[in-house]
Amino acid sequence: MTDASDRDDNARHAEKAKKRKAAHDRKLEGMSADKGLLIVHTGTGKGKTSAALGMVFRHIGHDMPVGVVHFTKSEKWNTGEAKLLAKFPDLVTLHIMGEGFTWETQDRERDVAAARAGWERAKELMRDDRHRMVLLDELNIVLRYDYLPISEVIAFLLDEKPADKHVVITGRNANPALIEIADLVTEMTLVKHPFRNGVKAQKGVEF
């Protein structure tokens, strides 16, 4: 009796799987060819940059060059990702353009200048045919504080970003105009964070 029941369960499972595959294949038939995506990672939760770096490392694994611009992180931070990315000089162009968070610099003019320099470098990377993906880490932060005009950034992404280039933008409080034009938007939601319980940032987790 058990054997017969197992056979029935397997048959039902196989039939459902067959229908799901057929439906999936029909969806694929109607999909367009490859496209350079505009991807936004935002929200209050941890993991925005980490998820973006996961895609960067996938590109490296496929021998596809990437460009990375850090808008708030500074050279002083000595992050694990910067150390690892430096091991792939033929595949990674890394620019650490920030001077730390705004509460560290306490100088709006310096922050604006750093953001402008980072954006100019970012445009160079996006225009460069060599790079398949460009990560603009924490660009949302500089846009939130109006260090760069959102209209300028949107115009460039719409008019000058190559059609086959992936661009990933991270940071809290993504501008609604940026969300509107993006192909993929993920919002990380904070449930718990050790910082609230007096635990400082941990090497290998936060940096």
Side-chain angles (χ1 to χ4, degrees):
M1 181 69 179
T2 301
D3 290 343
S5 177
D6 288 344
R7 285 195 296 271
D8 289 343
D9 287 343
N10 286 335
R12 284 193 293 269
H13 175 80
E15 183 62 26
K16 288 180 180 179
K18 182 179 178 181
K19 290 180 179 178
R20 285 196 298 268
K21 183 180 184 308
H24 181 70
D25 289 345
R26 285 194 297 271
K27 288 181 181 179
L28 289 178
E29 288 176 2
M31 288 185 176
S32 62
D34 292 340
K35 176 184 186 298
L37 302 176
L38 177 58
I39 301 168
V40 176
H41 291 175
T42 191
T44 58
K46 174 178 165 44
K48 297 176 285 293
T49 296
S50 300
L53 286 168
M55 288 186 282
V56 166
F57 294 134
R58 284 175 180 163
H59 273 67
I60 294 172
H62 289 294
D63 293 321
M64 296 189 293
V66 295
V68 179
V69 178
H70 288 307
F71 277 88
T72 59
K73 296 181 175 74
S74 73
E75 294 279 3
K76 299 176 183 178
W77 287 24
N78 197 27
T79 64
E81 61 262 31
K83 290 181 179 181
L84 183 56
L85 292 172
K87 296 181 183 294
F88 303 93
D90 295 336
L91 290 171
V92 179
T93 304
L94 173 63
H95 297 292
I96 302 175
M97 306 296 294
E99 296 192 44
F101 292 115
T102 55
W103 60 80
E104 292 174 339
T105 62
Q106 300 179 21
D107 187 333
R108 180 176 173 81
E109 288 187 4
R110 278 177 55 189
D111 291 334
V112 170
R116 173 55 60 185
W119 177 239
E120 294 304 319
R121 195 62 56 85
K123 290 191 291 186
E124 292 174 6
L125 294 178
M126 286 186 279
R127 289 175 175 135
D128 189 342
D129 292 338
R130 178 172 176 270
H131 299 99
R132 180 73 173 113
M133 170 179 278
V134 177
L135 167 58
L136 307 181
D137 185 42
E138 304 289 8
L139 177 60
N140 286 335
I141 301 299
V142 302
L143 292 174
R144 178 189 179 191
Y145 288 107
D146 296 321
Y147 295 161
L148 291 171
I150 182 63
S151 58
E152 177 184 344
V153 173
I154 294 295
F156 183 91
L157 293 172
L158 287 176
D159 300 335
E160 295 194 51
K161 182 185 85 67
D164 62 347
K165 181 147 328 200
H166 302 309
V167 174
V168 187
I169 298 173
T170 70
R172 295 185 179 203
N173 302 111
N175 190 287
L178 183 61
I179 291 175
E180 178 65 26
I181 68 168
D183 298 291
L184 172 61
V185 180
T186 300
E187 183 171 0
M188 312 295 187
T189 302
L190 176 64
V191 178
K192 294 179 71 174
H193 198 291
F195 187 80
R196 292 183 172 180
N197 291 321
V199 179
K200 67 180 183 180
Q202 300 295 297
K203 182 182 292 187
V205 179
E206 275 86 14
F207 63 93

